[in-house]
Amino acid sequence: MLVDAVRIAIIGAGFAGLGMAVRLKQVGIDDFVILERAQDIGGTWRDNSYPGCAVDVQSHLYSFSFAPNPDWSHVYAPQAEIWDYIQTIARRHAVLPHVRFGHEVVGGEWDESAQHWVLRTTKGEVRAQFVVSSMGPLSNPMAPDIPGLDTFAGHTFHSARWDHDHELAGKRVGVIGTGSSAAQFVPEIQPEVGRLTVFQRTAHWTFPRRNRAITATERRLYRRVPLLQKLARARQYLFRELIAFGFLRNGRSRFLEAIATQRLRRQVPDPELRAKLTPDYALGCKRIVVTDDFHPALASPNVDVVTESISEVVPEGVRTADGVVHELDTLILGTGFEVMPVADPLCGRDGVPLAKRWAQRRAAYLGTTVSGYPNYFMLVGPNTATGHTSVLLYAEAQIEYVIQCVQHLRHTGADSLDVRPEVQDAFVADIRERLKGTVWTGGGCASWYLDPDGGSSVLWPGFTWQFRAALRRFDPADYRLHSVATP
Ligand SMILES: Cc1cc2nc3c(=O)[nH]c(=O)nc-3n(C[C@H](O)[C@H](O)[C@H](O)COP(=O)(O)OP(=O)(O)OC[C@H]3O[C@@H](n4cnc5c(N)ncnc54)[C@H](O)[C@@H]3O)c2cc1C
């Protein structure tokens, strides 16, 4: 069944997909749909509603530059407010009528003769000249591969699918994982649970968050003098770019590590627990956890931090390698996400699904286009993150790049563009070379940033302004243009 035939199909109604839609409308392109598998918009900020869920980049920076919000309640806004911001933008720019809910894209082929994509969704077929894939870098929760997980007699859920109907008060609760999500929900649930057992594989470096309410006077000022908000954003941007300095060289930021260690000493008086919470790799190598209350919560009398590795889950709880069974009523998986799910089911010119092409390593030109996949764009694709700043800075640069590509085809009368393989290969080789000198590959840790071969198809090995500069001007020479009339 043909559901739609449109010029542009955007996959995913998260921050990136909706930002793309808003900008398309602003430049006068109205012929698009957004295919969303869920029943609401919002992506990350719809799905993650665990207690304490919030952004860990200042909200003025974690918002679109073309849609500033003078009304953020806090420097780091909570999840509900970010979700509300996304919905407000979508309503204000009238993109909701373009969204097709419950349409999961499960496959797709490039039709060479017609020069368009044929997407298969759970509700039927969609044909589109262009596809913008914004399926999210962290949209599929990852369950750990632990034997016996499904034998647990208590209740289990993932932090990204928080069970708000499940009562935690007084219970024996286990948490697997100590990354950014756990660091946010553990301090929230610790006071109410009976006993909390936190299973830690690796200790994380932490940075102070120092969240505070934005006063009514500040908000009034931002509303009346938008330039002030721009300045606040610029200050936060520059501060975060400074942090990147430390990451881009392969050495330890002894100064920052000393500050973090001092703070840990203040927050955790017990030397044994402190030793467990002290990382043995360079700061920045893994994603830094931005928090003020995680370590104090772990130091509370009703919390145990278990560093012994987990051998299995049994009906009573979790058995660790030392043979101890930690008895639990509830098990919360704070185990993160599949990184940039390689589930992208679209097949390129050679009929090979991107997921298969990328089985070993993801590779895209400017994190956005993939050779052999004409008129196909990714937002927040490979090598578009640094962990120290707002992902939206990358997404916005990509959105503007996509618009340039679409407009270029319109002006030239061509039907499709496909990045030249040699251009993509040179770009990817350059990224790999530049990554060699960074803390992410040389900092002595294993992280979700890294590919099995030690490279990274997640990280951008530079400053965000360098990424934005690389995408500022679309260069037609990077692409092969094709039109049906002149094959
Ligand atoms: C808990 C959490 C906290 C975060 N905090 C920060 C932060 O502080 N700063 C920061 O920069 N980044 C943060 N991130 C990263 C965050 O994912 C990005 O900032 C941003 O939200 C990504 O937007 P997106 O639109 O690319 O993806 P998402 O928000 O994940 O949206 C993707 C959408 O695509 C849909 N979808 C997926 N597959 C299909 C399919 N096959 N068919 C149809 N629809 C599909 C999904 O349902 C979803 O709605 C955080 C992520 C998480 C999980």
Side-chain angles (χ1 to χ4, degrees):
M1 181 184 56
L2 180 66
V3 187
D4 264 310
V6 286
R7 185 135 164 247
I8 302 173
I10 300 169
I11 310 176
F15 240 128
L18 292 166
M20 182 78 242
V22 169
R23 289 294 296 130
L24 285 175
K25 289 213 118 179
Q26 287 180 335
V27 300
I29 300 174
D30 212 34
D31 187 9
F32 66 89
V33 291
I34 307 178
L35 306 168
E36 169 55 57
R37 66 183 173 189
Q39 296 300 333
D40 205 343
I41 63 170
T44 291
W45 304 102
R46 171 199 66 222
D47 292 340
N48 290 268
S49 63
Y50 57 77
C53 182
V55 64
D56 57 19
V57 171
Q58 293 92 330
S59 297
H60 286 315
L61 195 55
Y62 192 69
S63 39
F64 284 124
S65 64
F66 53 80
N69 174 20
D71 292 317
W72 291 119
S73 69
H74 286 77
V75 173
Y76 298 91
Q79 168 261 342
E81 204 173 320
I82 303 168
W83 193 17
D84 188 56
Y85 167 78
I86 293 173
Q87 285 170 326
T88 304
I89 299 177
R91 272 197 307 273
R92 188 179 297 153
H93 296 274
V95 297
L96 287 177
H98 296 261
V99 187
R100 305 284 177 268
F101 292 110
H103 284 59
E104 177 165 7
V105 176
V106 290
E109 284 83 33
W110 172 250
D111 183 334
E112 193 69 61
S113 57
Q115 292 282 292
H116 64 210
W117 284 97
V118 182
L119 300 182
R120 276 174 283 115
T121 82
T122 42
K123 293 255 175 88
E125 203 175 273
V126 175
R127 290 184 203 151
Q129 186 186 0
F130 301 95
V131 168
V132 180
S133 173
S134 45
M135 292 164 39
L138 305 172
S139 58
N140 294 339
M142 188 159 67
D145 188 16
I146 301 174
L149 191 57
D150 54 353
T151 66
F152 181 52
H155 188 52
T156 313
F157 57 89
H158 193 283
S159 63
R161 301 289 180 271
W162 196 268
D163 185 348
H164 291 277
D165 294 330
H166 181 69
E167 187 60 64
L168 291 175
K171 296 244 169 75
R172 297 167 302 173
V173 177
V175 171
I176 301 183
T178 52
S180 297
S181 295
Q184 292 187 338
F185 71 74
V186 160
E188 299 293 319
I189 64 171
Q190 172 268 317
E192 66 167 308
V193 303
R195 181 116 224 117
L196 189 62
T197 309
V198 177
F199 298 92
Q200 173 188 278
R201 192 168 56 181
T202 322
H204 288 265
W205 288 105
T206 66
F207 255 13
R209 189 154 178 258
R210 302 217 180 92
N211 199 9
R212 67 166 180 87
I214 297 178
T215 64
T217 312
E218 284 174 287
R219 284 187 253 164
R220 222 174 10 255
L221 274 172
Y222 291 145
R223 269 196 301 274
R224 288 201 187 143
V225 192
L227 179 66
L228 286 179
Q229 193 181 358
K230 281 198 180 132
L231 288 174
R233 180 179 160 104
R235 190 170 48 84
Q236 289 160 0
Y237 173 77
L238 288 173
F239 170 71
R240 297 213 161 243
E241 290 302 286
L242 277 178
I243 297 176
F245 260 123
F247 294 172
L248 293 173
R249 57 187 187 89
N250 184 1
R252 298 193 79 133
S253 304
R254 296 284 177 196
F255 175 65
L256 292 179
E257 286 185 15
I259 294 176
T261 308
Q262 275 296 332
R263 204 165 75 107
L264 182 63
R265 196 166 293 141
R266 276 198 310 278
Q267 293 185 331
V268 181
D270 172 12
E272 199 183 319
L273 176 59
R274 211 162 56 225
K276 288 182 179 176
L277 300 177
T278 303
D280 60 0
Y281 54 85
L283 181 143
C285 183
K286 285 169 95 73
R287 193 166 201 272
I288 295 171
V289 171
V290 183
T291 174
D292 296 324
D293 48 8
F294 184 42
H295 286 154
L298 294 181
S300 303
N302 67 337
V303 180
D304 294 312
V305 176
V306 176
T307 51
E308 200 69 42
S309 62
I310 294 175
S311 47
E312 62 175 335
V313 174
V314 292
E316 305 78 39
V318 170
R319 189 195 307 278
T320 42
D322 53 4
V324 175
V325 174
H326 304 267
E327 294 191 0
L328 304 168
D329 303 308
T330 306
L331 184 57
I332 304 175
L333 308 176
T335 44
F337 301 84
E338 286 175 29
V339 182
M340 288 187 189
V342 283
D344 201 314
L346 268 61
C347 294
R349 280 206 153 111
D350 54 4
V352 177
L354 197 51
K356 195 162 173 207
R357 164 93 67 104
W358 280 2
Q360 295 307 317
R361 182 157 32 96
R362 297 168 283 254
Y365 179 54
L366 301 172
T368 310
T369 50
V370 183
S371 182
Y373 295 73
N375 288 3
Y376 171 82
F377 305 95
M378 303 190 72
L379 302 181
V380 198
N383 302 105
T384 59
T386 14
H388 72 285
T389 191
S390 168
V391 159
L392 302 183
L393 295 169
Y394 294 89
E396 267 198 52
Q398 295 182 291
I399 287 168
E400 298 308 318
Y401 186 80
V402 173
I403 288 174
Q404 288 189 54
C405 292
V406 171
Q407 288 178 332
H408 182 81
L409 287 201
R410 188 162 60 183
H411 294 146
T412 55
D415 294 304
S416 67
L417 49 74
D418 189 2
V419 64
R420 294 176 186 277
E422 65 277 15
V423 171
Q424 179 177 309
D425 289 348
F427 175 80
V428 172
D430 179 50
I431 293 263
R432 283 181 76 75
E433 204 46 45
R434 285 161 61 195
L435 272 163
K436 282 184 190 154
T438 65
V439 71
W440 301 300
T441 53
C445 73
S447 80
W448 57 262
Y449 288 151
L450 300 181
D451 299 335
D453 65 2
S456 174
S457 46
V458 174
L459 294 160
W460 169 252
F463 297 98
T464 53
W465 57 263
Q466 292 172 312
F467 183 81
R468 292 162 79 88
L471 275 81
R472 187 155 296 135
R473 219 167 289 289
F474 162 74
D475 184 353
D478 293 341
Y479 291 85
R480 286 196 188 119
L481 268 59
H482 184 88
S483 73
V484 182
T486 54

